[in-house]
Amino acid sequence: MTPDEFRKHAHDLVEWMAGYMENVESWPVKSSVKPGEIFDKIPDKPPLHSESFDSLMRDFNEIIMPGITHWQNPNFFAYFPANTSPASILAEMLTATLGAQCMMWETSPAAAELEEKMMIWLREMTGLPSEFEGVIQDSASTATLAAILTAREKATNFSANIDGVEKSGVLKVYCSDQTHSSVEKAVKISGIGSKNLVKISVRDDFSMDPQKLKTAIIRDKKNGHIPCCVIATLGTTGTTAVDPLRAIGEICHENNIWLHVDAAMAGTALILPEFQWMLDGREYIDSFVFNPHKWMFTNFDCSAYFIKDAGSLIKTFEILPEYLKTRTRGKVNDYRDWGVPLGRRFRALKLWSVIRTYGVEGLRNKVRNHIGIAKELSEMISREADFEILAPVIISVVCFRYIPVGYNEDQINVLNEKLNHQLNDSGKLYLSHTVLNGKYTLRMVTAQTNVTHEHVEKAWLLIKDTARGLKS
Ligand SMILES: Cc1ncc(COP(=O)(O)O)c(C=O)c1O
């Protein structure tokens, strides 16, 4: 492709992108294609000779677009969002054009230094302690893996990396039974073993019971096991419950246990002064992750990982083959030593673009608005006798179900599952679910970048009508 051809296609593409953003609501939120439908439309063999970009775009529109679920549609209320914003997309275009591989300072000093500065900005914005240093990881799962590996090394005096984990005795990791599955995955990968992940039961509000945590740690120590890491969640995936950080932190401090905080979604709410209460006990945190790629309008992937003692993270991951030795080593941040992958994208640029374009106050307004919309939704639900709210509404997630009279618990579960599928199949909105105390629960997340009160009000009318129609 010549530069002139590129210029033409790029201009056309920008038109396509702007049109998509303007009209995203006209697409069904959830793709309705059947398994294998897209696969079968793509030729079995690659083309031997060059094809035009126009023909690729034709196929993109005809084959790919029907198989896309539109996360940027404001009627997307499922999971947690993966938000974008124009400022982030523009920066991603620059990142793609530069194509820099930012594994260490020398392979793009600007990427390393902008990343260092953005992590300071995010640390200040979220109110994390000033001694924390940060690095951008691809996902919260990777950050949590880094935390558990570092905790494992600290607990074994950095010997598990050398001798293997089986020589270290039985290490134990603790989290609540509402914790995201990425913790169990990390415990498996770390060699600690998922049977050594202790799931602590939760209180009525779905937050970890610190007394039960204490009891489990005492029991494990008595049995000669080594408590190595506790994961506290600010904003669990099911209900956005907030684990009591101070009480958990004190237990970790008394027992010399690494405290990792998973704030993947709710971390963004920390930019609001009225949500700083979630960080009470921050002095006990060893590591902390939150995802700007969820709720800070920054394209996936961008996960902000903070650590109190960056030296122990580097000691865990550092490896120095001849071909990676540089003259600046030790004087700069070589982020390849701060996590699993060697190669790294230039991800700080989109954060810079988002924070500068919105301004901190602009970000606060947007997040505060989402939280207000969730509150309004919960009030609308509470007004209906045949619906109930199933968990406290803390940030932007509302958990509820339909409870018509005359149905038993099993029938209510079946009805709500049916309701969820029927709503999602309509293409008008997309909800996901969880199970709370055996109850099939609909989760509605009001945190898509462009969601408004009107979207949620319309969605709520549809949910009510569909539910009541199911019964008859
Ligand atoms: C609380 C929590 N932690 C971790 C994750 C995993 O995030 P990622 O996809 O960035 O690995 C999620 C995903 O939704 C989550 O809700």
Side-chain angles (χ1 to χ4, degrees):
M1 201 183 284
T2 64
D4 274 345
E5 283 168 338
F6 175 81
R7 192 169 278 115
K8 181 200 168 299
H9 293 310
H11 282 301
D12 290 349
L13 215 51
V14 167
E15 279 305 314
W16 186 97
M17 292 159 76
Y20 177 73
M21 288 181 199
E22 274 167 351
N23 299 312
V24 67
E25 284 188 60
S26 64
W27 290 91
V29 190
K30 181 173 170 288
S31 166
S32 58
V33 296
K34 303 278 172 297
E37 205 175 312
I38 308 291
F39 183 86
D40 289 343
K41 287 186 178 154
I42 298 168
D44 291 334
K45 297 253 184 311
L48 209 48
H49 301 291
S50 164
E51 292 184 11
S52 70
F53 190 74
D54 286 335
S55 74
L56 182 101
M57 274 313 283
R58 217 169 23 248
D59 286 350
F60 174 79
N61 283 317
E62 281 170 19
I63 301 174
I64 301 301
M65 284 305 280
I68 294 295
T69 288
H70 298 278
W71 289 66
Q72 306 316 316
N73 186 323
N75 297 301
F76 182 98
F77 303 109
Y79 307 103
F80 281 145
N83 283 330
T84 68
S85 59
S88 171
I89 294 167
L90 290 173
E92 281 286 62
M93 288 162 75
L94 290 176
T95 295
T97 307
L98 296 175
Q101 204 277 56
C102 310
M103 58 186 169
M104 43 195 186
W105 182 87
E106 195 170 293
T107 61
S108 270
E113 294 189 11
L114 186 64
E115 182 161 341
E116 189 175 347
K117 189 64 77 157
M118 286 308 99
M119 292 298 98
I120 294 170
W121 282 15
L122 287 182
R123 183 186 70 202
E124 303 300 314
M125 286 163 67
T126 52
L128 284 166
S130 58
E131 70 267 31
F132 275 51
E133 291 182 76
V135 55
I136 304 179
Q137 305 276 3
D138 57 2
S139 64
S141 303
T142 306
T144 293
L145 174 63
I148 288 177
L149 291 173
T150 311
R152 183 194 74 186
E153 288 313 298
K154 280 280 265 200
T156 63
N157 203 15
F158 293 88
S159 70
N161 261 350
I162 297 158
D163 298 326
V165 78
E166 71 279 3
K167 297 251 170 64
S168 314
V170 177
L171 300 170
K172 292 278 180 185
V173 176
Y174 306 82
C175 64
S176 91
D177 60 21
Q178 295 291 309
T179 303
H180 190 263
S181 56
S182 53
V183 170
E184 185 163 346
K185 196 187 254 187
V187 170
K188 278 161 62 166
I189 297 169
S190 69
I192 293 172
S194 55
K195 73 170 192 227
N196 293 314
L197 175 64
V198 184
K199 292 199 176 161
I200 307 295
S201 51
V202 292
R203 308 182 286 194
D204 288 349
D205 65 354
F206 303 101
S207 68
M208 191 195 284
D209 185 336
Q211 200 47 49
K212 297 230 167 75
L213 172 69
K214 196 170 185 169
T215 309
I217 291 171
I218 292 169
R219 183 200 59 216
D220 287 339
K221 281 174 113 174
K222 249 194 209 143
N223 290 333
H225 300 157
I226 308 160
C228 138
C229 186
V230 173
I231 288 91
T233 305
L234 306 185
T236 57
T237 312
T239 70
T240 63
V242 176
D243 289 340
L245 200 54
R246 176 164 297 285
I248 294 171
E250 281 166 0
I251 297 166
C252 290
H253 185 66
E254 279 158 24
N255 292 279
N256 195 22
I257 302 173
W258 188 279
L259 175 58
H260 174 61
V261 174
D262 176 0
M265 172 73 182
T268 296
L270 292 170
I271 66 173
L272 302 177
E274 62 269 31
F275 278 86
Q276 274 292 305
W277 60 266
M278 293 195 289
L279 265 190
D280 178 40
R282 73 197 77 198
E283 64 274 26
Y284 297 115
I285 304 174
D286 290 294
S287 55
F288 177 98
V289 63
F290 89 100
N291 283 349
H293 71 225
K294 280 186 164 44
W295 202 12
M296 208 181 260
F297 319 112
T298 307
N299 278 66
F300 189 85
D301 52 354
C302 184
S303 195
Y305 179 56
F306 293 92
I307 185 155
K308 193 190 274 176
D309 171 17
S312 58
L313 174 72
I314 294 168
K315 203 167 164 191
T316 300
F317 284 103
E318 189 176 46
I319 204 136
L320 192 59
E322 192 54 38
Y323 47 84
L324 294 178
K325 286 183 183 158
T326 57
R327 285 168 296 168
T328 48
R329 184 159 184 76
K331 299 190 199 121
V332 294
N333 284 348
D334 289 321
Y335 286 116
R336 68 184 181 81
D337 294 330
W338 294 55
V340 176
L342 169 63
R344 311 180 77 250
R345 300 177 64 231
F346 184 8
R347 286 179 291 225
L349 194 61
K350 58 190 168 187
L351 260 178
W352 197 34
S353 178
V354 167
I355 298 170
R356 289 180 62 171
T357 304
Y358 281 98
V360 177
E361 210 38 58
L363 291 171
R364 285 191 183 125
N365 288 341
K366 245 183 139 46
V367 171
R368 201 175 267 133
N369 184 40
H370 287 167
I371 294 170
I373 293 174
K375 192 161 175 290
E376 285 164 3
L377 172 65
S378 74
E379 285 162 4
M380 288 190 270
I381 297 174
S382 303
R383 283 199 286 273
E384 308 292 335
D386 52 352
F387 282 84
E388 69 173 340
I389 304 264
L390 292 168
V393 178
I394 297 170
I395 45 169
S396 49
V397 176
V398 183
C399 292
F400 65 98
R401 68 173 181 164
Y402 177 48
I403 41 159
V405 244
Y407 284 68
N408 68 28
E409 278 297 319
D410 287 344
Q411 290 167 324
I412 288 178
N413 280 347
V414 171
L415 209 57
N416 278 280
E417 186 170 357
K418 207 165 151 195
L419 173 60
N420 194 9
H421 294 319
Q422 195 153 317
L423 287 165
N424 292 346
D425 289 346
S426 77
K428 292 185 178 144
L429 54 76
Y430 189 12
L431 297 178
S432 55
H433 80 281
T434 186
V435 173
L436 299 173
N437 299 321
K439 297 169 185 170
Y440 189 97
T441 304
L442 299 169
R443 271 173 89 258
M444 191 154 164
V445 185
T446 61
Q448 206 290 318
T449 308
N450 294 314
V451 69
T452 61
H453 172 79
E454 285 70 35
H455 290 109
V456 171
E457 197 165 42
K458 206 163 138 206
W460 172 233
L461 283 178
L462 181 68
I463 294 168
K464 269 195 304 187
D465 285 353
T466 311
R468 289 170 186 161
L470 276 179
K471 210 177 59 161
S472 48

